[in-house]
Amino acid sequence: MNFKEQRENFRNKKISAKEAVQEALSKVENDKLNIFISNLRDSAEKRAEEIDSNFEKYKDKPLSGVPIAHKDIFCTENIQTTCGSKMLSNFVPPYSSTVTKNCDEAGSVMIAKTNMDEFAMGSSNETSFFGPVGNPWNDSLVPGGSSGGSAACVAANITSISTGTDTGGSIRQPAALCGITGMKPTYGLVSRWGMIAFCSSMDQAGPFARDAFGCAALLDAMASYDAKDSTCSKREVVNFENALAKDFGTLNIGIIKNIEELGINNDVLEAYEHSKSVLQQLGHTIKEIDFSELSSGICSYYVIAPAECSSNLSRFDGVKYGYRSDQNNISELYMKTRSEGFGDEVKKRILIGTHVLSAGFYDAYYLKAQQVRRMMKNKFEDIFKDVDLIFMPTTLDQAFEKNRKDSDPNRMYKEDLLTIPANLAGLPAISFPNGFKNNLPIGGQFVGNYFKEDLLLNTANKIQEVTDWHKMTP
Amino acid sequence: MNKIELKNLLFLARIHAEEKEYPEITKKLTNTFNLIDEMNNLDLKDLEPLNNPLELKNVSRTDKERNRNQKDKFLDQSPESDDDHFMVPKIIE
Amino acid sequence: MAQNDTVINGWQPVIGLEVHVQLLTNTKLFSPAKNKFGEDANSLVDLIDMGLPGVLPVLNEDAMNQGIKFGLATSAKISETMIFDRKNYFYPDLPKGYQITQLHYPIVKDGVVDLGYKKVRIHQAHLEEDAGKSMHDQYDANSVIDLNRSGVPLLEIVSEPDLRSAQEAVDYLKKIHQIITYLDISDGNMSQGSMRCDANVSLMRPDSKEYGTRAEIKNINSFKFVEKAINHEIKRQMKILEVGGEIEQETRLYDAVKDETRSMRTKEFANDYRYFPCPDLVPTHISKEQIEHVKNTMDELPEEKQKRFKDQYKLDDYDSKVLCAEKETAKFYEEVVQKCDPQIAAKWIIGELNALLNKNELSLKDSKITSSNFAALILKISDGTISGKIAKDILEDIWESGNAVSDIIDSKNLKQISDTGEIEKVIDEIFENNKSQVEAYKSGKDKLFGFFVGQVMKATQGKANPGMVNQLLKDKLK
């Protein structure tokens, strides 16, 4: 079931919002993959009824009558929002994020909040306080992270659309491992108001759907200028669904020289090669580009992201909201609340971040990392003078086993090697299914220039018109 | 990173850890720093640090009031409070 | 006052002040909650001030403009680029676990404040958000937090260590107070905490090229305590240095009750604030147009007003200065002189009115004296209706009752007696009853003139026109 069909069914009155919601909810309740943190039956049914009785108002909205699941990182008023953490396991926000509010107004019905890596830190959805999520293709494997729950939700056909966030690849990587389409918009396209912050200068919310069409419609709903977010762009937002029909002509598509030397798995490389020929068949020109700096992004990322997160997570102190450890002196309150409320990965990143910002280390780490970031941005700018899009694999591997024991202690971080550069530069990028091997999906990735979401979606859509990878379901 | 440095770091971050956990934590941190240190192989010349990808400037709002106060809700949700205040264990200055 | 004599027992005190000023914006620095003092606890707290997960700050442009005003008033450089940084530390009244402030790119740099006898340099002034309040007296085992103040805009004004005595520090602080109240950017109320002062104090040998180690004194909340705290600290440091000891670089709290400072030795490790640019905010480029626009909205500064008063109202330096010391007084004066003589008005405000205000420790706006009523009083003095002495009594009456001048004059029958016939009659009667004094005067005892004046005044309950009395007495005693 894809998004377009679901929406058509509502618009044609074949299925009511309530029926769609009830069908989705029964799947939620039967879920064995631990995809969900909260099931919102009561509010979902009420909302569905409201939409059904206001059919005329909602029938032309981008998400009319379609059930949706939101990553549990988005604050939802009066509805529990945990961010995958013990620290917020009892937190009920008194306000809603712009993203969920926009999706609501666009006619969708929120049926559940999805599981995620704790505070969005992870690449396998194994750091959640609420337990790991299984990959719908093989539940002993990971769905990717940090938006593992949202990706699995769509891959398992529970909802046709879901929201995620991408700071270092947390939408694109799970999309690839789960065989669906997922997009990180340009930094600043979607408001961060109400989205629990991990790394403020890279966090960006984005859509999951089976295909580019679903992503386009969902992004239309999500994106809006928001004066409450100082880092939000005032730029006029394009209608992405309409842009799918546009003709962008033949494109110059950049492929990175020697990319196979980065340790990419052969099956993934094979799918990548195959995609190149599909692109050529579509009339595009493949151009080899030099991007030897690509793999440096990861060192910079693991300075900046922990640094900003160490500061963003300082507010979790047991004083005003969230978890509090029962202590009778203030110092212990802080120390124990934070050591008990946060999981190991989060604590590790806070320590790294605290260290790289410390007196005496700031220049050597943080400042340098920001310079690497500048280098990345400059390089992309050069590349985009010659090509319209960059094409590369999304991940190094296909879905891997839960609890994987890595000989390389940084292996998990390196999973984001190919996704991180777009985050550092703030560029839009999309992952779409481009292969299938070992009974598992593979993803390919486009990176575009600033605010070229329409081009990315359009190109992925064109590929999906001539391939079937995105139609495969477990 | 030696024991004292780790202890200071833990305190700076207000995270408690038992001393027996220190070796494991140090190992994990060291692994990540090994990854980060690869930055030192790069020639960064006089590159200007990049803080915000869009390099936006001048965002502000007018001095207009907007009431989003939810005192009761804020206090009810807090771990400990009386009718008017958030409460914590006594702070001794 | 010779400011060179600030060396004490061979030690030169060196003082720098950090003054935190709460700005008079309508809303807070980064949230749209109302910026107001004294309300119900936790009732002026926006989602942003709570530091809830997912909230984001947006800069209040009015706070920025008020910072620019301060820069203009102190001939400082308004920065072309202003950047906000995060200062990270943990405290229960700091909801986010960091304070948004400005470290490397403050709004204002390199200003100067003129005390008259010396100029004091301002290192920088920057914008930052205030923290909430924690209070420790309500419960035995708990402290309580009120976040009303969390997010209120502050301008932190940092001086260079140019001050050399507690007196200079007080003068500087008073000048800052004058500037911020003139600019209407703060009400500078030290007791309410809208102006707070920390002092950095050190001692050095007069011929040394290096400053000594400094101690920071906090918790000073009145002009009087500024002087006391600094003097106490100077004495404390001198004692240590005299016996060859070393000053510890530390923070000390001033205790007003005991009149002493004590060490805040609570932190085992020095606080590492890990400053970095706040990624939720973007840099601000302040244009010349914006500065020009702010300049055009600014009222006159004290020095400008003083000069204008001199020229416009023909006052001398001293009178101008006193009238312009506070914006409120200057405003009152200008309202008063719409209706009456500027010189007389000046004399009476600087003299009698100020005396009354000081004696009762009240400010003009809190008193019952209005500018129109005061002007009426001056008019009655000018046109001779009442004498100066009577005017003084009337002023005290107005202070108490707030009644109109004309009503007081009528009800108490205080009109000055300027009828020469009437005065002559009184004089004749006095001469009749004091024949021997008249004789004595006429034979050379000039001092008795005062006796006759006194008698006339007594007989007329002080209402006789003094000038006329003098003239008529002179004529009659020839």
Side-chain angles (χ1 to χ4, degrees), chain C residues 24-230:
Chain C
L24 284 174
T25 52
N26 187 34
T27 62
K28 295 184 177 181
L29 187 56
F30 296 111
S31 91
K34 188 130 185 86
N35 173 12
K36 197 165 178 221
F37 177 81
E39 297 289 295
D40 215 24
N42 288 305
S43 66
L44 297 173
V45 180
D46 181 86
L47 304 164
I48 294 172
D49 307 316
M50 273 286 286
L52 285 168
V55 297
L56 296 168
V58 183
L59 177 63
N60 179 343
E61 69 184 13
D62 205 54
M64 189 172 29
N65 290 339
Q66 294 193 7
I68 292 173
K69 277 188 187 171
F70 182 80
L72 290 170
T74 53
S75 312
K77 289 197 198 78
I78 313 291
S79 297
E80 267 177 34
T81 301
M82 176 179 91
I83 294 179
F84 284 98
D85 298 296
R86 290 190 186 177
K87 177 181 183 182
N88 296 281
Y89 66 96
F90 289 93
Y91 203 78
D93 63 19
L94 192 68
K96 297 188 296 295
Y98 59 85
Q99 176 198 35
I100 302 178
T101 176
Q102 298 177 323
L103 182 68
H104 297 299
Y105 296 91
I107 186 169
V108 160
K109 273 174 129 148
D110 301 334
V112 73
V113 165
D114 193 348
L115 302 183
Y117 56 87
K118 84 187 269 179
K119 286 189 165 68
V120 180
R121 295 169 303 162
I122 289 179
H123 174 67
Q124 69 176 48
H126 65 259
L127 292 167
E128 61 182 26
E129 47 176 7
D130 210 343
K133 264 208 191 109
S134 46
M135 292 159 286
H136 318 291
D137 301 325
Q138 286 191 25
Y139 298 100
D140 285 333
N142 297 94
S143 293
V144 300
I145 316 279
D146 172 10
L147 293 178
N148 277 356
R149 203 182 62 178
S150 161
V152 164
L154 294 176
L155 186 68
E156 180 176 338
I157 304 164
V158 182
S159 80
E160 296 286 4
D162 289 349
L163 303 162
R164 294 287 175 269
S165 70
Q167 183 60 57
E168 288 189 13
V170 172
D171 290 342
Y172 169 80
L173 199 59
K174 285 193 168 153
K175 188 70 186 169
I176 294 285
H177 182 272
Q178 185 193 47
I179 294 172
I180 61 181
T181 51
Y182 255 78
L183 292 173
D184 268 327
I185 64 176
S186 176
D187 59 24
N189 188 326
M190 282 191 89
S191 62
Q192 280 183 359
S194 60
M195 183 166 99
R196 314 199 279 259
C197 174
D198 297 334
N200 290 304
V201 180
S202 67
L203 297 178
M204 64 190 274
R205 289 293 188 193
D207 52 4
S208 168
K209 286 201 173 32
E210 279 178 23
Y211 290 136
T213 309
R214 63 173 202 254
E216 185 186 16
I217 322 284
K218 287 178 114 70
N219 196 41
I220 309 170
N221 54 23
S222 78
F223 290 104
K224 191 171 78 182
F225 293 150
V226 167
E227 192 174 0
K228 283 177 156 219
I230 292 175

Side-chain angles (χ1 to χ4, degrees), chain A residues 75 88 91 94-95 187 191-197 200-201 227-231 307-308 310-317 319-321 324 328 330 334 338 353-355 357-359 362 366 370, chain C residues 30 46-59 85-98 104 141-143 145 147 271-282:
Chain A
C75 285
L88 291 178
F91 178 62
Y95 78 109
Y187 181 85
S191 167
R192 293 188 298 116
W193 173 260
M195 191 172 108
I196 299 175
S200 314
S201 70
K228 298 190 295 300
D229 175 358
S230 299
T231 58
E308 291 188 20
S310 72
S311 179
N312 284 331
L313 268 59
S314 290
R315 67 192 63 202
F316 300 110
D317 54 13
V319 174
K320 317 150 303 278
Y321 49 77
R324 179 193 278 201
N328 52 25
I330 190 81
Y334 276 105
R338 290 164 63 79
T354 306
H355 183 72
L357 290 174
S358 285
Y362 182 90
Y366 191 74
Q370 299 282 45
Chain C
F30 296 111
D46 181 86
L47 304 164
I48 294 172
D49 307 316
M50 273 286 286
L52 285 168
V55 297
L56 296 168
V58 183
L59 177 63
D85 298 296
R86 290 190 186 177
K87 177 181 183 182
N88 296 281
Y89 66 96
F90 289 93
Y91 203 78
D93 63 19
L94 192 68
K96 297 188 296 295
Y98 59 85
H104 297 299
N142 297 94
S143 293
I145 316 279
L147 293 178
N271 233 333
D272 180 353
Y273 295 117
R274 291 155 281 136
Y275 288 95
F276 71 104
C278 182
D280 291 327
L281 294 167
V282 299

Side-chain angles (χ1 to χ4, degrees), chain A residues 157-169:
Chain A
N157 281 319
I158 300 175
T159 61
S160 61
I161 47 173
S162 66
T163 55
T165 63
D166 190 314
T167 306

Side-chain angles (χ1 to χ4, degrees), chain A residues 7-158:
Chain A
R7 193 177 69 181
E8 275 310 301
N9 288 340
F10 174 80
R11 287 178 174 177
N12 294 335
K13 296 205 172 184
K14 272 204 194 142
I15 292 186
S16 69
K18 187 153 183 201
E19 284 167 321
V21 159
Q22 279 168 337
E23 196 186 318
L25 279 166
S26 68
K27 289 183 190 171
V28 169
E29 278 145 22
N30 284 316
D31 166 52
K32 303 278 183 294
L33 298 170
N34 201 25
I35 289 173
F36 302 102
I37 289 179
S38 47
N39 161 356
L40 305 173
R41 181 172 277 278
D42 288 340
S43 58
E45 283 179 345
K46 249 196 215 96
R47 178 67 181 151
E49 281 162 15
E50 212 177 273
I51 288 176
D52 283 332
S53 34
N54 284 299
F55 181 80
E56 287 306 309
K57 178 176 174 197
Y58 288 103
K59 74 176 191 332
D60 294 319
K61 302 270 183 182
L63 307 178
S64 42
V66 175
I68 189 172
H70 289 298
K71 185 173 181 180
D72 208 15
I73 198 172
F74 295 105
C75 285
T76 41
E77 188 173 347
N78 297 331
I79 291 171
Q80 175 189 281
T81 303
T82 68
C83 217
S85 180
K86 179 176 180 177
M87 192 60 96
L88 291 178
S89 51
N90 65 351
F91 178 62
V92 179
Y95 78 109
S96 281
S97 67
T98 299
V99 163
T100 53
K101 197 152 173 260
N102 284 353
C103 289
D104 226 43
E105 283 167 9
S108 67
V109 185
M110 174 173 59
I111 60 159
K113 305 293 286 298
T114 59
N115 203 344
M116 53 179 282
D117 276 310
E118 187 183 3
F119 283 107
M121 299 182 211
S123 306
S124 61
N125 217 135
E126 292 179 285
T127 69
S128 170
F129 173 66
F130 299 92
V133 175
N135 190 316
W137 293 90
N138 178 338
D139 68 6
S140 67
L141 305 181
V142 303
S146 60
S147 314
S150 284
C153 181
V154 168
N157 281 319
I158 300 175

